């Protein structure tokens, strides 16, 4: 699996973060509390939902975000010959393949 892009919206410390990953090894560096572990958690949450997250739905939302602010993680990756995109919010998850505008799967779990 090759991760190409990760976008976080109101996910923990990240108000609006968009990361592009190139081929090869990626290092994530920064001071304590900057959100390094949160990037890894966001990837897991996008793929597996709440069981992969620390805390609950309310603790995932960025602290300074309004109470009903949208929490969203979008993950783009390739696996074998296909390109995938996962779009997960607190209330839904959708999986797209090869740029198709209609999700091939959707669920909260």
């Amino acid at each position: 699996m090759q991760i190409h892009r990760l976008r976080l919206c109101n996910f923990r410390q990240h108000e609006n973060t968009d990361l592009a990953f190139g081929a090869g090894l990626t290092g994530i560096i920064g001071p304590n509390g900057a959100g390094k572990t949160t990037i890894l958690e966001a990837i897991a949450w996008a793929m597996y939902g709440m069981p992969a997250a620390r805390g609950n739905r309310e603790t995932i939302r960025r602290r300074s975000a309004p109470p009903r602010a949208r929490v969203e993680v979008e993950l783009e990756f390739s696996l074998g010959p296909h390109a995938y995109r996962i779009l997960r919010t607190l209330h839904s998850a959708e999986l797209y393949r090869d740029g198709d505008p209609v999700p091939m799967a959707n669920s909260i779990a």
Side-chain angles (χ1 to χ4, degrees), residues 11-108:
F11 189 86
R12 301 222 186 260
Q13 300 95 311
H14 298 269
E15 179 178 8
N16 189 13
T17 300
D18 198 342
L19 303 169
F21 297 92
L25 186 64
T26 298
I28 301 171
I29 59 172
N32 289 346
K36 302 178 299 292
T37 301
T38 299
I39 291 170
L40 300 175
E41 182 182 12
I43 293 168
W45 186 69
M47 296 179 77
Y48 302 110
M50 286 309 298
R54 298 170 288 160
N56 59 46
R57 291 172 192 249
E58 290 310 311
T59 62
I60 284 177
R61 183 177 283 113
R62 189 173 53 88
R63 280 189 201 157
S64 57
R68 305 205 29 89
R70 183 172 182 84
V71 176
E72 186 173 89
V73 172
E74 183 178 20
L75 177 66
E76 295 177 8
F77 64 96
S78 57
L79 181 61
H82 298 288
Y84 296 93
R85 181 171 68 94
I86 298 171
L87 182 61
R88 184 174 294 276
T89 68
L90 290 176
H91 306 291
S92 69
E94 299 172 333
L95 174 65
Y96 299 86
R97 185 172 70 181
D98 297 329
D100 195 341
V102 177
M104 64 182 285
N106 58 13
S107 172
I108 189 67

